[in-house]
Amino acid sequence: VAFDHDRSLLEAIARAAIFKICDFNPQSLANTAWSCASLAYVHVPLMSALASQARVLLDCQGRTNAPSRAFQPQHMAGTAWAFAILKFRNEPLWDALACTSIKTMGEFKAGRLAGMAWACAKIGFLHQPLMDAIASAACTKGFQSLELTNMAWSFATLLVDDVPLMEALAWQAISTIASFSGRQIANSAWAFATLACADRPLRDALAGAAIKRIGDMRSQELSMTAWSCATWQYLHMPLLAAISAAAQIMIMDFSSQELCNTVWAFATFAGADAPLLESIACAASRRILDFAPQGLAGTAWSFAALAFEDRPLLAALSARAMNTLQGPEWTPQGLATIAWAVASGAVVDGPFMAAIAARSIQSISAFGAAEVGMLAWSLSRMPDLSLAWSLLDVADTAPLAAATRHAAFGAVLSECEQRGAVSEQVDLMMALARGCDTDLGAAARLAAAHRAAECGFSGDVELALLESRLRKK
């Protein structure tokens, strides 16, 4: 109420608190931080003062006989929660909270353990000794559904794969799954899938519970559940059908990332019903300005993998990508993926492919063999091979690994063979030979000469054949 109607009151309280900060004990520190977080009130000087006083008290922990000056588990978890909610990352404070929590971990109840882990994950604070201590203590605790979900989510978010903990949480989840909400089911599935915990009874329990709670799930939960199934490679047709039906009803509520994740999940299983794809295409076209490069590439790939061509969506994706191509968010994988998706369609957008080629050539040294091979294949699908040759010219001189260079030439060579373009095949083989002084180079020269001879070429090709034979001797 004060925040809504009298911000000046909060400002006055904050100034007074800073003035009296040395009088604050752990309880008053935690309560003040909790209040600010609950009001979403970020007062930087106050938060800095609270952090400073908390560090002083935490550093004195164990060296004072005053119980009121000692942090208890509820104080540490509450303070961590408040600072995480306000996204106020004071590294010395978090280090002090971690060290003191480890020393008193045996006093933490299940809820406090989950709260501390959640706060660390929320703020992105990875303190491995703290997470190890939390995991060790948590294995023997009994968690409520929300606490269990938060614990699993926290470890997955920080990518801390503690097998004993995840096995203990999986067992508890199976036995208490009936009490899970739709959000808790989705978050748990996401966490276990992220950490590759593929316990079949757990997956079956989550799938069954998700079907029962499908009407309670929002767009984010539907997307997360579909993503989890795909990441697990867990083909559960009744669950996917339920997700599809529910998603179509609320498709306009999906964010760009949720649309991308959902269609990617169904593309991973190489199957989705047309009504779902049509609704996703329509929603994605309307939200196209919200798509980041990764989402553009992922969505384009998914529709291409499903062989579902929606011309308006493809045009929207290409236009959006064209406007963002010079941005740093475009990775080699993203560029190669969207090029492959466009090249896989019935109609290839020439100007867009030319823009992808130019952008890729700028950063060709960052491409690996898989990305450059996919890109080269995509460019070779154009009626005119000039874009592919431009890429190969750069690959021929750039400081690329041998496998990366061979992937580029091999992709275009395969397309030339399908087209019956013998002269281009010979040129490619000779280019490969020039860049390799090993037996592979000799083999490439010999193959080029034989291929040319089969088609009646002579002159330089015969010289190449003679050179190859002489080197072999």
Side-chain angles (χ1 to χ4, degrees):
V1 174
F3 184 72
D4 289 338
H5 301 288
D6 192 355
R7 189 180 182 88
S8 61
L9 174 60
L10 282 181
E11 297 287 343
I13 293 173
R15 289 193 299 270
I18 294 172
F19 182 74
K20 291 182 174 290
I21 198 66
C22 291
D23 297 335
F24 277 58
N25 62 22
Q27 182 69 59
S28 53
L29 283 170
N31 286 350
T32 305
W34 178 90
S35 302
C36 290
S38 298
L39 292 166
Y41 177 61
V42 183
H43 189 283
V44 174
L46 173 59
M47 298 306 296
S48 298
L50 291 172
S52 179
Q53 176 65 359
R55 292 200 311 272
V56 170
L57 296 178
L58 287 165
D59 290 342
C60 294
Q61 190 99 340
R63 299 200 301 268
T64 178
N65 294 322
S68 63
R69 307 290 284 181
F71 269 81
Q72 301 300 320
Q74 65 267 27
H75 303 144
M76 288 181 277
T79 301
W81 176 87
F83 276 79
I85 287 291
L86 294 175
K87 300 179 181 179
F88 196 91
R89 181 157 179 164
N90 183 294
E91 210 71 28
L93 170 63
W94 284 95
D95 285 334
L97 284 170
C99 292
T100 305
S101 296
I102 292 172
K103 295 175 183 176
T104 59
M105 192 58 66
E107 303 172 16
F108 276 70
K109 295 181 180 179
R112 306 301 182 191
L113 287 172
M116 180 61 75
W118 183 91
C120 291
K122 181 70 174 179
I123 201 72
F125 175 69
L126 176 56
H127 189 284
Q128 192 63 50
L130 173 61
M131 300 308 292
D132 290 342
I134 291 175
S136 179
C139 285
T140 60
K141 303 290 185 182
F143 290 96
Q144 300 294 323
S145 58
L146 179 58
E147 297 165 352
L148 190 155
T149 301
N150 284 347
M151 183 67 76
W153 177 89
S154 302
F155 275 74
T157 299
L158 293 173
L159 296 178
V160 178
D161 187 10
D162 189 286
V163 175
L165 172 63
M166 298 310 291
E167 289 178 348
L169 293 178
W171 179 83
Q172 287 195 40
I174 293 171
S175 61
T176 60
I177 197 69
S179 65
F180 278 46
S181 66
R183 183 173 183 81
Q184 290 163 3
I185 292 168
N187 283 344
S188 297
W190 177 87
F192 285 105
T194 297
L195 293 178
C197 181
D199 181 80
R200 183 61 186 246
L202 171 65
R203 291 184 296 176
D204 290 345
L206 287 169
I211 292 173
K212 292 179 180 178
R213 295 280 191 179
I214 204 74
D216 300 332
M217 288 189 174
R218 299 173 299 176
S219 59
Q220 184 181 30
E221 285 98 52
L222 292 171
S223 174
M224 290 172 68
T225 306
W227 180 92
S228 301
C229 289
T231 302
W232 268 326
Q233 288 294 298
Y234 177 59
L235 181 59
H236 192 287
M237 295 304 297
L239 175 56
L240 292 176
I243 291 173
S244 175
Q248 292 175 56
I249 295 173
M250 62 179 75
I251 198 66
M252 290 305 171
D253 295 336
F254 278 60
S255 68
S256 58
Q257 188 61 55
E258 291 161 4
L259 290 168
C260 178
N261 287 348
T262 302
V263 72
W264 174 84
F266 281 89
T268 299
F269 292 122
D273 53 84
L276 174 63
L277 295 178
E278 290 169 357
S279 62
I280 291 176
C282 179
S285 297
R286 294 190 181 188
R287 285 191 173 275
I288 199 65
L289 295 180
D290 298 335
F291 276 75
Q294 183 181 6
L296 293 170
T299 303
W301 176 89
S302 299
F303 276 92
L306 289 166
F308 187 89
E309 189 163 330
D310 186 284
R311 296 283 180 86
L313 173 61
L314 186 59
L317 290 169
S318 299
R320 175 62 176 162
M322 183 81 86
N323 291 334
T324 62
L325 270 182
Q326 295 307 314
E329 293 183 356
W330 278 102
T331 64
Q333 182 181 14
L335 291 166
T337 298
I338 199 167
W340 179 88
V342 174
S344 298
V347 179
V348 181
D349 186 335
F352 180 54
M353 295 297 283
I356 291 178
R359 175 64 176 82
S360 299
I361 287 172
Q362 293 174 10
S363 55
I364 194 64
S365 60
F367 278 66
E371 292 92 3
V372 83
M374 186 185 298
L375 178 63
W377 177 87
S378 303
L379 297 179
S380 70
R381 298 289 292 172
M382 299 288 293
D384 179 0
L385 289 176
S386 59
L387 291 178
W389 281 109
S390 297
L391 176 66
L392 295 185
D393 287 343
V394 174
D396 202 20
T397 57
L400 298 177
T404 303
R405 184 171 176 273
H406 295 160
F409 280 85
V412 181
L413 178 61
S414 175
E415 179 64 24
C416 289
E417 287 177 346
Q418 292 186 20
R419 296 188 184 195
V422 178
S423 177
E424 286 80 358
Q425 291 178 53
V426 173
D427 288 342
L428 284 168
M429 291 177 186
M430 292 303 293
L432 275 173
R434 285 196 304 273
C436 186
D437 294 329
T438 64
D439 290 342
L440 179 62
R445 283 188 290 272
L446 187 59
H450 279 301
R451 182 68 178 127
E454 288 174 2
C455 300
F457 284 79
S458 58
D460 292 339
V461 172
E462 292 177 355
L463 183 61
L465 178 58
L466 176 61
E467 177 192 2
S468 178
R469 288 174 175 169
L470 288 174
R471 288 198 179 198
K472 193 173 182 180
K473 292 179 181 179

